[in-house]
Amino acid sequence: DAVLRNVTPLPTVDDVKVVHCWQTAFASTVHASVVWTLSKLRHQGIQNPSVAVLARSNSLVEQLSGILSEPHEYNGTALSPVDHSVVWDAELSAAAGAVVASIMEWPAGGERVRVAATLDAISHYYELKNATSPSQTAENNVRRYCEASKKVREGGVPRINAGKALVAAEAKGLGYKGDPVADWLLARASLQEIPALRELYRQSRLVRLFRATDALGGGLADLWLTQGHYGGASKLVSQTLEHERLIAADQEPTGCMLMSMHKSKGKEFDGVVIVEGGYAGLFFDPVREPPPFERSRRLLRVAITRARTHVTIVRIRGARPLTG
């Protein structure tokens, strides 16, 4: 309530801890805060605590997932990776994953059909994006990639640079070896190398966050063993991710989950770690909203009140004060 009403000074309480760090120590401080919060809840007698790690922006959520997936050191203490899941708007990431899967299928069919299928998958990605966040750019991309697909199927050269780059990459070959994880990363990296497709690369990186890695890896391995290639990978990826998404939607929150503050509305957790980046996910951004940031304060209050027991707030030193 003090944050909501901009009351200064903030009350001193035992169940909310604000941690400030330098930008250089951001990753290790976030990691330590999550570990500390989980440990505190267990010491309070909660055997399987649920902890939500919340951020203002999806880009920061992605960054936090990367942080928790790697080991760090905090004040001389080694921190192991934290197993976690991400509550995400799964449709776009799944669509980007289908693009990666279509690239894995390149050695399975005719040259024109292979690249055209990838261009169709990219067009489908932008159809979904335009449906959720309509824009002229997304609408134009749907048309451009559809036209490129048609051109390739007819034996012509696509007009857009991304289409030409995909045709060149397919002709060169990616050299799959039958290791589904390594081959997935190889296919995904081909998107990163094409500037116009880096958005899809970033979205496809989130596929590993759906907790479907074992199912995907096993399915892709089976395709290779039975066929010697990844034909059918697109269908496998789409079905697996949809299945995992439906299961996750029905589960009671346990363990560590990452999500945006907006996604946390209506949910409840034993503990919450709220993270503000130095550049992404600012709590109070005067470019987005003028002081006293009433909308942002309402959202921050939602994030704080998701916790049953304890809240940790991680901020960069020099950030705008929570109140005042």
Side-chain angles (χ1 to χ4, degrees):
D1 288 340
V3 170
L4 177 66
R5 297 168 185 162
N6 198 15
V7 175
T8 303
L10 282 168
T12 301
V13 293
D14 295 330
D15 49 6
V16 179
K17 179 179 182 180
V18 182
V19 179
H20 290 92
C21 65
W22 299 110
Q23 183 67 50
T24 52
F26 177 69
S28 60
T29 303
V30 167
H31 197 153
S33 296
V34 173
V35 171
W36 179 82
T37 302
L38 284 164
S39 177
K40 181 179 177 67
L41 293 169
R42 292 190 185 104
H43 284 145
Q44 291 178 346
I46 304 173
Q47 291 186 347
N48 298 303
S50 59
V51 170
V53 182
L54 308 179
R56 181 78 193 246
S57 68
N58 285 338
S59 61
L60 183 53
V61 171
E62 179 185 351
Q63 181 184 349
L64 297 177
S65 177
I67 288 172
L68 296 180
S69 299
E70 300 174 351
H72 291 93
E73 184 176 298
Y74 183 79
N75 289 343
T77 300
L79 303 173
S80 300
V82 176
D83 186 32
H84 63 276
S85 59
V86 174
V87 179
W88 207 271
D89 294 323
E91 288 80 4
L92 273 182
S93 293
V99 174
V100 176
S102 75
I103 294 173
M104 295 184 76
E105 289 192 63
W106 280 356
E111 175 185 346
R112 294 179 185 176
V113 175
R114 293 187 299 232
V115 179
T118 298
L119 291 165
D120 286 336
I122 296 171
S123 179
H124 176 63
Y125 170 88
Y126 283 110
E127 282 181 355
L128 282 176
K129 183 173 183 180
N130 194 49
T132 55
S133 302
S135 70
Q136 191 63 49
T137 299
E139 186 176 329
N140 289 340
N141 279 333
V142 173
R143 175 182 51 78
R144 291 166 68 233
Y145 285 101
C146 275
E147 290 176 352
S149 172
K150 182 180 179 182
K151 197 76 172 177
V152 169
R153 288 181 192 277
E154 293 171 349
V157 177
R159 294 175 58 186
I160 55 175
N161 290 332
K164 294 174 183 176
L166 288 171
V167 170
E170 192 281 332
K172 182 179 179 182
L174 296 181
Y176 299 131
K177 303 295 185 183
D179 179 337
V181 175
D183 292 343
W184 174 275
L185 295 177
L186 194 61
R188 193 179 72 183
S190 64
L191 295 176
Q192 186 182 22
E193 294 170 3
I194 302 172
L197 300 181
R198 283 174 187 161
E199 175 186 335
L200 280 82
Y201 166 76
R202 290 192 296 270
Q203 285 285 357
S204 66
R205 288 181 62 194
L206 303 174
V207 167
R208 66 186 175 84
L209 309 181
F210 292 139
R211 305 180 66 83
T213 308
D214 292 341
L216 282 180
L220 291 171
D222 288 343
L223 290 177
W224 182 275
L225 287 172
T226 56
Q227 305 174 153
H229 55 71
Y230 292 110
S234 297
K235 184 177 180 181
L236 170 73
V237 168
S238 298
Q239 290 179 341
T240 302
L241 294 182
E242 178 61 15
H243 178 68
E244 293 294 326
R245 186 182 70 83
L246 292 174
I247 290 176
D250 291 334
Q251 288 179 335
E252 180 70 20
T254 57
C256 181
M257 288 153 286
L258 277 62
M259 68 191 76
S260 68
M261 293 183 190
H262 288 91
K263 273 286 184 183
S264 74
K265 290 180 179 179
K267 299 180 175 65
E268 202 173 56
F269 309 90
D270 296 312
V272 167
V273 180
I274 306 172
V275 183
E276 179 181 31
Y279 309 102
L282 296 176
F283 290 169
F284 309 120
D285 185 352
V287 175
R288 180 178 58 228
E289 179 188 11
F293 309 103
E294 293 178 1
R295 292 198 309 276
S296 296
R297 293 184 181 281
R298 287 196 294 271
L299 182 61
L300 194 52
R301 185 186 188 279
V302 167
I304 293 169
T305 55
R306 297 309 89 202
R308 299 187 187 97
T309 304
H310 191 83
V311 178
T312 305
I313 302 175
V314 180
R315 311 192 73 199
I316 300 295
R317 292 187 184 277
R320 188 182 293 268
L322 290 176
T323 61

